[in-house]
Amino acid sequence: MSATALAFLIFSFALFGIAGARAVFGLMIASLPFYIILGCFNIARGEKTVFSILLGLTLFPSLAYFLGFMVSFRIAIAMAFIVFIGMSVALKKFKAKK
Amino acid sequence: MTGYMKFSKSHAQTLIFAALYLFALYFWTQPLQERKIPYGEYDAMSHFEVADYIAYNDKSFQKLPPYIDLRYGGDNKFRPHTLWYPPAFHTSLAVAETIGGERIVPVFLLNAIMSTFIIISVYFVINSLFGFLPAILSSLLLVFSPRDFMPYLWGQWPERFAYAFIPIILYCFYRYFIYFSKEDKNPLYLYLTALFLGINILVHPLVFFHSVIGLAVLYVMLAIKQRKIVFSWKHSVIAGLIFLALFMMFPYQTFNIFSQFARGTDESAKNFDLSRIFQWSLNPKDYAGSVPPSYFSFAEMHGLWTLPFLLIGILFLVLRREERDLFMLAWLVSLYIILHRDLAGKASFLHRSLSASAHIFAPLAAIGAFYLSSIIKLPSNYSKYLKYGIAAVFIFFAFSVNMAYASKILNKNTYNDFFSTLNNEEYQAAQWSLDNIPSSANITILGIPHQEQFQSATSKKIRWFAAVSQHVTRFYYLREDREEILKSKDWYIVLDYTMLAPLNDKKTFDEMQQFERNASATHILAYGKNGIRVYKLAE
């Protein structure tokens, strides 16, 4: 999985420079919390990967959009990441206790 | 051996698919690789504008700024002058632009990733249900599917991404149904169905209706097959709440669906022809001027060579009728229903639903090719060779026919259009305008051809200038209030000489020179670079 992600980053850098690599990195960052959340459930690795990217492309920006009315959009992105990562860690701990 | 990870067949398959997907991304982003300039039709401009406004101004917005409102102010019937799409899709592009640190590449690259996500969805679903070979062959065909990349190039961006959800939604529901039937009764996949269905409506409502029809057909087919009604009040209520939470997330936009739906029967659907029942595609003449006739041709969009494989695939699934076969047939039937909704009086954007054809035709053709070898009875070793032989023929045709055709439409010169796409000088001037012209001011341009024979193309250039400059931008010579414009400090005047020399348009050149001489008494030069000059009224 990490090899594929690395290949994706190198590919985007080779074709589009640092802006392309950063955009792809952003997509990975947005998907990461959902990958952790879905990891708490009994689903296959492929499902986890595909579903988490879809959620990262939709739910993550939705929260950033709401927060972007209250704070700067850049900070909203960081806050959205903290919120979703917090949720994923909390869920993981909750599942581990169960 | 700690830390040693065996390189399994599954890893190899993932790497093969990753290589194919990166090739797809390379293929689809060719226009962007050549020129880091925004491109596409009017729809592309609108999606870029919304995403770019959020990222560039570092804030979310609901009420449309004037340069977007000018065209889209009335598109949201429920709350005019606000965003007409739920903002999830555009904010995703805005996140990419913010993290990417640049205006064009991150937006167009992420859009390419989202538009090609159907390749990932189809691979994932077909691999899960039918195995690697049909999955990779399906994906290969989708890379070169003009009915997918043409709307992507034109600018139907959210719709392209929304289609990637259909196989995922159907797959999740299929898993729920199958697990439920096996007495596992795990509701997780139903909740995921509701989650992705809710997201689907946030990305594109038209595709959401397609997903709903697909779910209904799949449910009926599986229920008949298993002679069992799968239903749980508890699961359904929770799934309903998940969907409702997403639906209510952006009510100004999702309620617009009801306003659009309440418009009643489309005039174009009233004269329907019952023979349409026996036709898959639509009449190209009904869409003349907006979509090229080739878009309606099976041979040009899928390659005629796929037809025998497609028919064998359908026949095979109809005869076998395992649950996974019904999954594919339900997907096919749902597309047929959606494509014939004009018979029920809903004809708007019918041609857009046709763009989903390859998503089901490609896997059906791949399944047809894959199972063709099983029809011919041979010793198992020979049967294996035959299977790979047919796959090799499939790959050969995909490259020699589909890729060859696709390359004529999608290549590094696509949208390298003198009349409709901004050139580098114009892009720089538009960027300067964004940074230096007050947001309340408007822009008017001389030098971009405004004559009738050019207007359909150059209007796009004017709109791209508006998108990049984030200002209302108009042709100077088409304004009736030219005298007032010259007296107003709310108008900046752009003289664009970059197109005149290639057009050998001396008349306009002389007029613009005269204009500059006259304007010098009242206006001052605010920008002058690379054949573009911007004037503003002297204080």
Side-chain angles (χ1 to χ4, degrees):
Chain A
M1 189 59 59
S2 50
T4 312
L6 188 65
F8 202 1
L9 276 173
I10 294 169
F11 169 86
S12 48
F13 179 75
L15 279 188
F16 299 107
I18 193 69
R22 281 170 63 164
V24 169
F25 181 70
L27 168 62
M28 289 169 183
I29 287 292
S31 307
L32 181 67
F34 300 102
Y35 191 81
I36 299 170
I37 290 171
L38 290 168
C40 299
F41 301 97
N42 184 25
I43 62 171
R45 198 187 62 181
E47 292 174 343
K48 221 164 42 172
T49 307
V50 174
F51 296 172
S52 61
I53 299 172
L54 286 175
L55 297 174
L57 283 168
T58 49
L59 293 188
F60 184 93
S62 296
L63 180 60
Y65 175 80
F66 283 121
L67 296 171
F69 283 106
M70 292 172 272
V71 293
S72 119
F73 188 63
R74 285 160 207 269
I75 295 170
I77 293 170
M79 283 172 72
F81 181 72
I82 292 165
V83 168
F84 281 123
I85 276 288
M87 279 170 66
S88 66
V89 170
L91 186 67
K92 214 173 171 183
K93 279 190 177 172
F94 175 74
K95 280 272 183 183
K97 268 186 189 173
K98 265 179 112 180
Chain B
M1 293 222 345
T2 319
Y4 173 75
M5 200 173 161
K6 198 180 165 195
F7 190 76
S8 66
K9 192 175 162 189
S10 144
H11 284 114
Q13 291 174 346
T14 304
L15 281 182
I16 292 170
F17 175 69
L20 177 71
Y21 181 70
L22 290 182
F23 172 71
L25 215 48
Y26 164 81
F27 193 76
W28 284 48
T29 56
Q30 287 179 90
L32 183 64
Q33 293 162 30
E34 192 64 11
R35 305 160 71 249
K36 310 284 187 285
I37 296 284
Y39 60 88
E41 304 293 321
Y42 292 110
D43 282 351
M45 298 161 203
S46 71
H47 300 309
F48 172 79
E49 283 170 343
V50 173
D52 179 60
Y53 188 88
I54 296 172
Y56 199 83
N57 297 287
D58 200 21
K59 64 178 183 188
S60 300
F61 74 104
Q62 182 72 257
K63 194 172 174 295
L64 301 179
Y67 73 102
I68 304 178
D69 190 76
L70 191 66
R71 160 63 186 84
Y72 292 93
D75 271 34
N76 188 337
K77 304 272 180 274
F78 180 69
R79 276 286 183 279
H81 308 292
T82 63
L83 290 172
W84 63 105
Y85 273 104
F89 177 85
H90 301 94
T91 314
S92 193
L93 298 176
V95 169
E97 184 175 324
T98 303
I99 296 176
E102 201 251 62
R103 289 182 79 190
I104 308 301
V105 164
V107 172
F108 279 76
L109 175 59
L110 188 68
N111 177 51
I113 292 170
M114 292 200 269
S115 296
T116 50
F117 211 90
I118 185 67
I119 298 171
I120 298 176
S121 296
V122 167
Y123 172 81
F124 161 71
V125 169
I126 302 301
N127 190 31
S128 303
L129 300 181
F130 293 92
F132 175 72
L133 200 54
I136 199 79
L137 294 180
S138 312
S139 309
L140 179 64
L141 275 189
L142 285 175
V143 173
F144 308 121
S145 165
R147 272 201 194 129
D148 284 83
F149 66 68
M150 287 200 303
Y152 147 80
L153 290 170
W154 297 333
Q156 283 131 34
W157 296 356
E159 188 186 278
R160 294 330 312 150
F161 183 47
Y163 275 119
F165 284 85
I166 293 180
I168 300 294
I169 290 166
L170 295 182
Y171 170 85
C172 288
F173 185 73
Y174 173 84
R175 279 272 178 253
Y176 172 71
F177 198 107
I178 298 299
Y179 286 161
F180 198 98
S181 307
K182 287 178 181 161
E183 307 302 327
D184 181 1
K185 294 200 171 39
N186 183 351
L188 176 67
Y189 285 96
L190 185 66
Y191 301 158
L192 286 169
T193 307
L195 182 67
F196 288 124
L197 195 63
I199 292 171
N200 204 201
I201 205 169
L202 298 184
V203 179
H204 205 282
L206 177 72
V207 183
F208 161 78
F209 288 113
H210 189 159
S211 300
V212 171
I213 298 288
L215 283 175
V217 177
L218 180 61
Y219 183 89
V220 170
M221 281 190 171
L222 289 175
I224 291 171
K225 165 77 179 171
Q226 299 206 345
R227 292 177 190 161
K228 190 190 281 181
I229 299 291
V230 165
F231 185 78
S232 156
W233 273 110
K234 192 181 153 196
H235 296 172
S236 302
V237 167
I238 295 172
L241 288 173
I242 292 170
F243 176 78
L244 204 61
L246 288 157
F247 185 84
M248 294 304 292
M249 201 189 272
F250 302 108
Y252 280 9
Q253 284 72 38
T254 42
F255 279 39
N256 184 35
I257 296 165
F258 299 120
S259 310
Q260 297 280 3
F261 218 74
R263 285 192 302 180
T265 306
D266 302 318
E267 284 301 313
S268 53
K270 283 183 180 165
N271 305 320
F272 71 80
D273 176 5
L274 217 58
S275 67
R276 277 260 304 116
I277 290 174
F278 306 104
Q279 295 166 349
W280 182 269
S281 190
L282 306 160
N283 187 355
K285 286 179 186 162
D286 295 339
Y287 301 91
S290 63
V291 183
S294 60
Y295 179 81
F296 301 93
S297 154
F298 181 95
E300 290 183 80
M301 295 296 105
H302 306 286
L304 209 52
W305 67 271
T306 60
L307 189 59
F309 289 122
L310 172 63
L311 295 175
I312 291 167
I314 295 171
L315 188 68
F316 176 80
L317 297 177
V318 168
L319 292 175
R320 195 172 70 169
R321 294 192 306 279
E322 287 179 6
E323 276 87 353
R324 57 186 174 152
D325 304 335
L326 296 178
F327 173 93
M328 299 302 293
L329 293 172
W331 188 359
L332 179 68
V333 170
S334 68
L335 179 57
Y336 175 86
I337 293 170
I338 283 290
L339 271 176
H340 292 79
R341 65 179 182 274
D342 52 324
L343 300 177
K346 292 286 172 194
S348 51
F349 298 125
L350 205 54
H351 63 297
R352 292 212 184 171
S353 296
L354 194 62
S355 70
S357 299
H359 311 163
I360 179 66
F361 283 1
L364 286 173
I367 289 167
F370 185 71
Y371 286 104
L372 185 60
S373 59
S374 64
I375 296 171
I376 305 159
K377 292 285 166 224
L378 288 170
S380 67
N381 261 356
Y382 290 103
S383 182
K384 201 172 160 185
Y385 291 134
L386 182 65
K387 188 172 76 180
Y388 289 117
I390 293 170
V393 170
F394 195 98
I395 292 167
F396 171 77
F397 278 117
F399 279 106
S400 62
V401 177
N402 297 46
M403 183 181 162
Y405 183 80
S407 300
K408 287 180 193 160
I409 307 168
L410 176 52
N411 52 55
K412 294 203 170 176
N413 261 326
T414 306
Y415 277 106
N416 184 8
D417 190 312
F418 176 73
F419 289 105
S420 64
T421 310
L422 295 175
N423 57 42
N424 274 317
E425 294 78 15
E426 288 162 339
Y427 180 80
Q428 283 174 33
Q431 179 65 50
W432 177 89
S433 304
L434 171 59
D435 296 333
N436 295 282
I437 296 178
S439 60
S440 58
N442 301 325
I443 293 169
T444 184
I445 300 188
L446 296 85
I448 294 178
H450 63 282
Q451 295 86 349
E452 212 176 334
Q453 71 267 32
F454 298 119
Q455 230 183 79
S456 64
T458 51
S459 296
K460 292 172 197 165
K461 183 174 277 208
I462 290 282
R463 275 280 304 280
W464 271 124
F465 197 97
V468 177
S469 69
Q470 296 191 359
H471 283 80
V472 169
T473 306
R474 316 292 275 174
F475 283 111
Y476 176 77
Y477 289 118
L478 297 182
R479 301 287 302 183
E480 286 179 358
D481 56 348
R482 291 198 289 267
E483 290 300 316
E484 286 78 38
I485 285 174
L486 292 177
K487 292 175 196 159
S488 171
K489 62 177 170 47
D490 291 331
W491 283 90
Y492 279 63
I493 302 160
V494 175
L495 288 106
D496 180 353
Y497 288 97
T498 61
M499 297 178 77
L500 300 180
L503 287 172
N504 202 18
D505 186 355
K506 186 158 186 325
K507 182 173 171 280
T508 308
F509 178 82
D510 291 340
E511 281 173 7
M512 284 165 63
Q513 288 283 292
Q514 184 59 43
F515 182 94
E516 279 201 74
R517 278 193 287 274
N518 295 342
S520 61
T522 50
H523 287 68
I524 54 169
L525 185 67
Y527 174 88
K529 207 172 152 188
N530 304 323
I532 297 180
R533 297 160 81 81
V534 182
Y535 284 91
K536 67 173 184 178
L537 194 69
E539 294 294 327

